[in-house]
Amino acid sequence: MTAGTAQAGDPSRERQSETTPPVSSSIDVDVWRGDAVGQFVRYRVPRQSSQTVLDVVTWIQRNLDPTLAYRYACRVGMCGSCAMTVNGVARWTCRTHVDRVAARDRLELRPLANLPVVRDLVCDMREFFDKWAAARGRLAPTATRKDPVPRVAPGSRERRAADAAIECIGCGVCYASCDIVAWRPDYLGPAALNRAWTLVNDVRDGGNRERLAAIAGDAGCHACHSQANCTERCPKHLAPTASIAGLKRAVSRALLKGEL
Amino acid sequence: MNGAPGAAGASPGRIRAGHRARIDAALWLAQRVSAFVLAACVLVHLATIFYAVHGGLTAAAIIARIRGSVAWPAFYVVFIVAAAVHAPIGLRAIAAEWAGFRGHRADLATAFVAIALLALGLRAVWGLAG
């Protein structure tokens, strides 16, 4: 770690002096090194109280191996860029305390599953976001800037349905946790479908006919087995499973009305 | 769609994709509707089996009762149609996800399983009632 990078905001620095010492003095961390082909490399990292998994990765990169590649930005659960597979489970590393996940003082860190690995803990998110586009995940406006702003009642059914799903920050945890994505690589996945559901419920949007045609079918909402891995793992506690069920209902209605 | 990019799509690929989406959506709906029918039919079917076994009815006695009945064969025709709709769609999904078997040939195989189930089932009803 160079002097320039050890700023006041460094989480491992700040927390060091803060609280009581942890149970054991160090932790063994197996980190994936390589891309699709590679191996785990073990590092010994000092334990600190309130230490997050992201702190551990940062400590390794700054003290043991500066070539370790990983991705993060905000450190506080807002940006959605630090998700990795921690002891087999996709998580935000910045919001995961080592104490909560390190059984027997061991950690195993891999990149997110279901996405190509760029290097070490960094995966290529392109496919994930391309599927948002394929699911028509952007507003198709029906009004121009000259029209009055539409009024959406906060208590309306559509507004509440959109609210329940809107807080997604695109971290990819659900996508990496989804067995259907693993089985059907063309499956749009929970995040893209969840986004489509918010727009299906957006009264300002006029693109639903195209959107429902895009998300219907075996690569879309109908592939979902409602296993709810996504809902179980979503760090924002959203329920993409419920959104996908909503899409299935919407598609069925459109089909019966001859609008699909 | 107010001229958003990609909205103009009347390309053949888009139409084919729309057709595909309609078929998949219709199959999904058919499987759900047939599931409702099956749930009711299985309950009646199991209750009847328990009743028949408890009463000590023999196979010959059961056949004698069913022969000449209209309601029982009609019930089992509904049951068989529901099963013939429901099961192949599920098998198609399993074949796609676990064996990578999908597309046109998988659809043909699905139709074949449906027809086979329907034929075998109806033949059994015919054997009982006819």
Side-chain angles (χ1 to χ4, degrees):
Chain A
M1 160 160 54
T2 63
T5 55
Q7 295 148 355
D10 186 330
S12 55
R13 276 296 173 94
E14 274 177 2
R15 282 167 198 166
Q16 231 163 358
S17 56
E18 217 166 65
T19 37
T20 52
V23 185
S24 55
S25 58
S26 71
I27 182 167
D28 284 332
V29 188
D30 291 323
V31 180
W32 181 256
R33 302 304 307 268
D35 41 46
V37 186
Q39 72 286 320
F40 284 103
V41 174
R42 178 162 296 184
Y43 302 96
R44 179 153 286 188
V45 177
R47 281 291 280 270
Q48 289 161 17
S49 46
S50 300
Q51 188 177 24
T52 66
V53 176
L54 183 61
D55 295 337
V56 166
V57 179
T58 301
W59 196 91
I60 293 171
Q61 199 219 37
R62 294 190 178 177
N63 295 283
L64 301 178
D65 188 348
T67 67
L68 175 66
Y70 67 110
R71 192 186 273 140
Y72 78 98
C74 77
R75 299 178 290 110
V76 290
M78 290 176 72
C79 72
S81 57
C82 71
M84 298 170 203
T85 308
V86 182
N87 286 0
V89 177
R91 295 171 171 283
W92 289 349
T93 52
C94 72
R95 301 288 285 174
T96 302
H97 278 115
V98 173
D99 293 340
R100 276 183 46 215
V101 290
R104 295 187 197 141
D105 297 323
R106 291 278 301 278
L107 276 179
E108 187 200 84
L109 304 178
R110 297 165 177 268
L112 285 180
N114 293 339
L115 289 162
V117 181
V118 177
R119 187 160 69 86
D120 301 341
L121 298 169
V122 177
C123 58
D124 186 348
M125 302 289 284
R126 227 175 321 185
E127 219 167 276
F128 174 72
F129 288 113
D130 282 350
K131 286 179 177 178
W132 286 51
R136 306 286 157 132
R138 72 184 214 180
L139 185 77
T142 49
T144 68
R145 68 186 69 183
K146 296 184 182 71
D147 296 310
V149 175
R151 298 172 74 94
V152 182
S156 67
R157 190 178 55 79
E158 289 86 356
R159 177 69 244 193
R160 288 210 307 254
D163 272 349
I166 201 71
E167 293 291 342
C168 174
I169 61 172
C171 66
V173 163
C174 60
Y175 190 85
S177 306
C178 178
D179 287 330
I180 319 301
V181 174
W183 291 333
R184 287 183 192 268
D186 58 341
Y187 175 46
L188 292 171
L193 292 171
N194 182 72
R195 171 62 185 156
W197 175 240
T198 64
L199 289 169
V200 164
N201 287 292
D202 193 327
V203 295
R204 303 165 304 165
D205 182 276
N208 270 338
R209 203 178 171 127
E210 287 248 324
R211 187 171 294 114
L212 291 180
I215 57 92
D218 288 349
C221 64
H222 294 109
C224 174
H225 289 226
S226 310
Q227 276 173 210
N229 297 13
C230 53
T231 303
E232 169 75 20
R233 300 273 164 81
C234 175
K236 299 285 285 186
H237 304 296
L238 305 182
T241 315
S243 299
I244 295 168
L247 288 177
K248 287 171 179 171
R249 289 193 300 274
V251 167
S252 296
R253 265 196 301 274
L255 179 75
L256 294 174
K257 284 189 198 162
E259 290 171 2
L260 190 64
Chain B
M1 247 182 85
N2 238 14
S11 69
R14 184 65 51 76
I15 291 165
R16 285 255 301 275
H19 182 62
R20 191 76 246 174
R22 268 194 298 281
I23 290 176
D24 290 345
L27 285 178
W28 183 86
L29 195 57
Q31 200 188 25
R32 289 309 180 276
V33 170
S34 60
F36 282 118
V37 177
L38 279 177
C41 288
V42 166
L43 283 179
V44 173
H45 182 63
L46 287 178
T48 311
I49 289 173
F50 279 122
Y51 167 78
V53 169
H54 274 281
L57 285 173
T58 61
I62 291 169
I63 289 172
R65 285 184 177 199
I66 289 174
R67 202 144 283 182
S69 156
V70 178
W72 281 114
F75 167 77
Y76 276 104
V77 166
V78 170
F79 197 164
I80 285 155
V81 169
V85 168
H86 189 83
I89 302 173
L91 289 174
R92 176 175 170 272
I94 293 168
E97 283 169 14
W98 290 53
F101 182 47
R102 56 192 83 189
H104 187 58
R105 281 169 61 200
D107 289 346
L108 282 178
T110 304
F112 175 77
V113 173
I115 291 165
L117 281 178
L118 197 63
L120 289 171
L122 291 178
R123 184 170 159 270
V125 174
W126 182 256
L128 276 176

